[in-house]
Amino acid sequence: MGASKHSNQSPDPLFGPASDDPVTMGASKHSNQSPDPLPSCEAQYIASLDLGTTTIRCFIYNKQAKICGRAQEKASVTLLYPAPGRVEMDPDELWDTFMSVVKAAITHAGLTPGDIRCLGLCTQRATFITWDRRTGVPFHNFITWKDLRADGLVRRWNSCLTMKAIRFGGSLLYLFLRSKRYLAASVLKFMNPQVNLRLMWVLENHAMVRQLANEGHVMFGTIDTWLVYRLTEGKVHATDYSNASGTALYDPYLEDWNTFFLKVFGMPKSLFPELRDSVGDWGTCSAKFFGVPIPITAVVSDQGASLFGSCGFERGDVKITLGTGAFLNVNTGNKAHTSVKGIYPVHGWKDKEGLVHMAEAASNDNGTVIEWGQKTGLYAKASDTSDMASSVEGSEGVFFIPGFQGIQAPVNDSTATGGFIGLRASSTRAHLVRAMLESLAFRIYQIYTTMLTEADHPLLNLRVDGGVAQNDFLVQMIATLTGKPVQRPKSTDISALGAAMLAGMGAGIWKSRKEWLPLKEADQTFHPQFELQPQMLDQMRQWEQALQRFKHWHSSRL
């Protein structure tokens, strides 16, 4: 889990407090304090935070949803690799960067903290931490969604008698009840990016944490939960439905923590935060942090915020985020999506108009492929890739498989690897780059067609966001493959915009989702090039054949 530089409570160097900040969090002495006074209604600016895997951004928006100030620190969050397969984040560093970025954004906007009406948070979901309920001190670093320390547990649980019984029971229930929910249970498998078995790893590998958890002294939280807890000085231990739904410890059908699996895993429910609507009263940032109290009025997952920021309010609206990973999310209305091919039922957000369900599929390697190409010297800047790919008519039979972290839905092979195949002596850097970008489009189309076959409703508008969405070649190829126009907004920081929109609703600046539709701005719409579609689909079939060569690679070489 990575040694904590502050550890002085445990002989185990992998654990111990990760912070010596004398913040008193979680103590009961706060319970009798009167609430902090709220900013005047004349304060109309919104601070929106987007906390990604390696970057924290803060944007200041006005009532017209225009950005007035922003801040981002280069390489603002350092990923730590304390041992093979382990990927962590230092909570001290994350907190310090968070505070620095918020203050810098307010300054960049020419404002003071007193001008900020409210704050909204959108965060990555499956990165978590645990801490002592009595002191607020973390037991370990954040364990990120990229972490593979629980891989042995994942394999053991997927093949154990308990899971075989659950799958068999799901099959029987589906046979009699014909509910797709039980059909999904019949093929249920755990995966490394999910929180459930990584949290179990923590409880199994540290006796003190297990003992304190059984005594009710341990708190669990994803990044949103931990930040709200610190900002409110321990007054609020909560998460919203969208963040909870990404942990695999939550039941999207019952809309509550999954008590069945909590019992199976031996996890006391006291670990888990209260579930709250994404929009509403999330407490107030203590005045000690910014000089004035600032209300927190929205907390939402990054993908939920992105769908909201894209104005994907209708059932069937599709949002494709092209960031470090690629995520395809479909608004499924008030109904949880059921899949047997690795598409997950999660939540987008919950406001006064109700809970929005999403179907989500992911490709873990998207922006990581672009970064890898730059590190290996294929190009100087990521922005060069679109022109390089367009400079050649095709990839000359070269294919690339983006499988650094396996291949997700619908292949679902965590042991797959990545690489090139079909190289010739005449292959150039441009051919390699084109093959890389084509592979990213093929993965999106693979996910999209899977969603089409499983959805019981039509898929409507396609919108893209994220840093990699600036790549014209890639977005145009997605439009041609899907045969649907793809809208790209003027700003690709849609998650931050969505969090700001929700926070503004929570503060009363806007009353409903409909007020946002006239404010939606598209920078460019990419229309399908139907004359190229047959050739691309044929190339896609060849790529899928190449993909078979890269499956089950690591399992035979462990």
Side-chain angles (χ1 to χ4, degrees):
M1 209 175 282
S4 172
K5 61 186 176 182
H6 304 289
S7 179
N8 55 18
Q9 294 184 355
S10 168
D12 185 345
L14 299 182
F15 284 84
S19 173
D20 57 2
D21 184 357
V23 175
T24 54
M25 301 184 297
S28 60
K29 66 180 181 180
H30 293 296
S31 59
N32 295 324
Q33 288 184 351
S34 59
D36 291 321
L38 301 183
S40 164
C41 289
E42 296 178 0
Q44 299 295 331
Y45 294 93
I46 302 166
S48 178
L49 275 296
D50 179 7
L51 292 92
T53 305
T54 58
T55 304
I56 298 178
R57 301 179 179 90
C58 181
F59 298 84
I60 308 299
Y61 291 90
N62 62 17
K63 287 184 65 175
Q64 290 71 44
K66 302 295 183 184
I67 296 175
C68 303
R70 70 177 77 200
Q72 168 187 330
E73 292 192 10
K74 294 181 179 179
S76 54
V77 181
T78 305
L79 294 181
L80 307 175
Y81 302 90
R86 300 188 184 185
V87 189
E88 304 177 354
M89 291 161 44
D90 184 339
D92 284 348
E93 181 188 13
L94 186 143
W95 173 258
D96 291 343
T97 304
F98 174 88
M99 297 297 295
S100 173
V101 167
V102 174
K103 293 174 181 177
I106 294 173
T107 299
H108 183 253
L111 304 173
T112 67
D115 296 316
I116 304 302
R117 174 79 169 270
C118 58
L119 183 145
L121 294 174
C122 68
T123 61
Q124 53 175 299
R125 291 165 301 189
T127 293
F128 74 92
I129 196 168
T130 62
W131 64 95
D132 194 314
R133 184 185 300 274
R134 300 162 300 180
T135 64
V137 176
F139 293 112
H140 54 83
N141 287 333
F142 278 102
I143 301 175
T144 76
W145 62 274
K146 288 175 169 285
D147 194 280
L148 300 176
R149 74 186 64 204
D151 185 62
L153 280 175
V154 170
R155 287 186 274 111
R156 192 189 321 156
W157 271 87
N158 282 337
S159 60
C160 73
L161 290 176
T162 300
M163 288 303 296
K164 289 178 180 178
I166 289 172
R167 288 192 283 265
F168 178 70
S171 299
L172 286 180
L173 288 170
Y174 177 71
L175 180 65
F176 291 104
L177 302 177
R178 309 310 293 177
S179 169
K180 287 186 176 180
R181 177 186 179 187
Y182 298 117
L183 180 61
S186 71
V187 295
L188 178 64
K189 285 188 177 181
F190 298 128
M191 300 179 68
N192 278 303
Q194 297 170 335
V195 168
N196 46 19
L197 293 184
R198 282 182 287 130
L199 178 57
M200 176 176 279
W201 187 96
V202 171
L203 296 175
E204 285 191 356
N205 284 271
H206 198 275
M208 182 184 71
V209 178
R210 166 59 78 180
Q211 179 181 341
L212 292 177
N214 291 338
E215 294 172 358
H217 297 312
V218 177
M219 294 176 123
F220 158 89
T222 44
I223 289 179
D224 62 300
T225 304
W226 182 78
L227 281 174
V228 170
Y229 189 80
R230 283 203 69 165
L231 288 167
T232 61
E233 294 193 273
K235 295 176 184 177
V236 178
H237 179 223
T239 189
D240 89 305
Y241 288 90
S242 67
N243 278 290
S245 69
T247 63
L249 291 163
Y250 172 92
D251 189 330
Y253 299 93
L254 300 179
E255 299 173 13
D256 198 357
W257 294 112
N258 193 321
T259 54
F260 172 77
F261 272 112
L262 295 190
K263 290 178 180 177
V264 169
F265 294 146
M267 296 177 182
K269 197 170 182 181
S270 60
L271 278 170
F272 296 92
E274 171 194 352
L275 292 168
R276 292 190 178 187
D277 291 1
S278 309
V279 179
D281 179 10
W282 283 83
T284 303
C285 299
S286 171
K288 67 181 285 185
F289 298 124
F290 302 109
V292 295
I294 299 176
I296 307 167
T297 56
V299 173
V300 64
S301 73
D302 49 3
Q303 301 310 318
S306 177
L307 184 65
F308 195 98
S310 299
C311 295
F313 305 145
E314 299 297 323
R315 186 169 181 251
D317 280 345
V318 181
K319 178 275 305 177
I320 302 169
T321 294
L322 302 172
T324 301
F327 294 87
L328 190 148
N329 295 90
V330 179
N331 183 331
T332 61
N334 59 3
K335 182 180 178 182
H337 177 83
T338 301
S339 173
V340 295
K341 295 183 178 179
I343 296 175
Y344 293 100
V346 294
H347 298 323
W349 65 88
K350 188 176 183 181
D351 58 15
K352 66 180 181 181
E353 297 180 47
L355 178 64
V356 172
H357 292 259
M358 293 195 308
E360 178 174 286
S363 179
N364 288 352
D365 290 304
N366 187 70
T368 51
V369 171
I370 306 296
E371 292 172 1
W372 174 82
Q374 185 174 358
K375 288 179 182 177
T376 54
L378 285 174
Y379 38 83
K381 304 188 299 294
S383 56
D384 296 337
T385 58
S386 183
D387 289 341
M388 288 181 70
S390 299
S391 69
V392 290
E393 292 185 3
S395 58
E396 202 183 45
V398 178
F399 293 99
F400 181 77
I401 306 302
F404 297 147
Q405 300 175 74
I407 301 291
Q408 293 71 49
V411 178
N412 298 310
D413 182 4
S414 62
T415 68
T417 192
F420 290 100
I421 193 170
L423 291 171
R424 304 178 183 181
S426 58
S427 299
T428 66
R429 287 190 302 157
H431 293 120
L432 302 186
V433 171
R434 184 176 180 116
M436 289 164 60
L437 294 184
E438 287 174 344
S439 75
L440 303 184
F442 291 149
R443 279 291 292 133
I444 294 296
Y445 185 61
Q446 202 176 40
I447 292 169
Y448 177 80
T449 54
T450 303
M451 198 81 77
L452 274 176
T453 60
E454 292 194 337
D456 57 0
H457 52 80
L459 302 188
L460 305 177
N461 302 306
L462 267 64
R463 304 179 179 95
V464 294
D465 67 86
V468 183
Q470 296 288 1
N471 192 297
D472 290 355
F473 179 90
L474 175 58
V475 179
Q476 179 60 63
M477 192 169 174
I478 292 171
T480 299
L481 284 167
T482 59
K484 296 182 76 71
V486 177
Q487 295 180 355
R488 183 174 66 189
K490 287 187 175 180
S491 170
T492 54
D493 295 304
I494 297 300
S495 292
L497 175 62
M501 293 157 68
L502 290 163
M505 289 171 58
I509 296 175
W510 301 290
K511 304 300 181 184
S512 70
R513 305 171 193 169
K514 291 181 180 178
E515 291 185 49
W516 276 95
L517 293 173
L519 299 176
K520 184 177 67 173
E521 297 179 324
D523 173 44
Q524 187 173 353
T525 299
F526 293 80
H527 296 278
Q529 296 174 330
F530 288 107
E531 70 279 8
L532 300 179
Q533 191 181 56
Q535 177 185 343
M536 282 192 185
L537 292 175
D538 182 64
Q539 190 177 1
M540 168 84 178
R541 286 187 284 272
Q542 295 179 55
W543 177 83
E544 288 181 317
Q545 291 177 357
L547 172 60
Q548 299 303 312
R549 305 283 188 94
F550 290 79
K551 291 173 61 178
H552 311 301
W553 179 266
H554 294 294
S555 60
S556 62
R557 290 162 173 80
L558 290 177

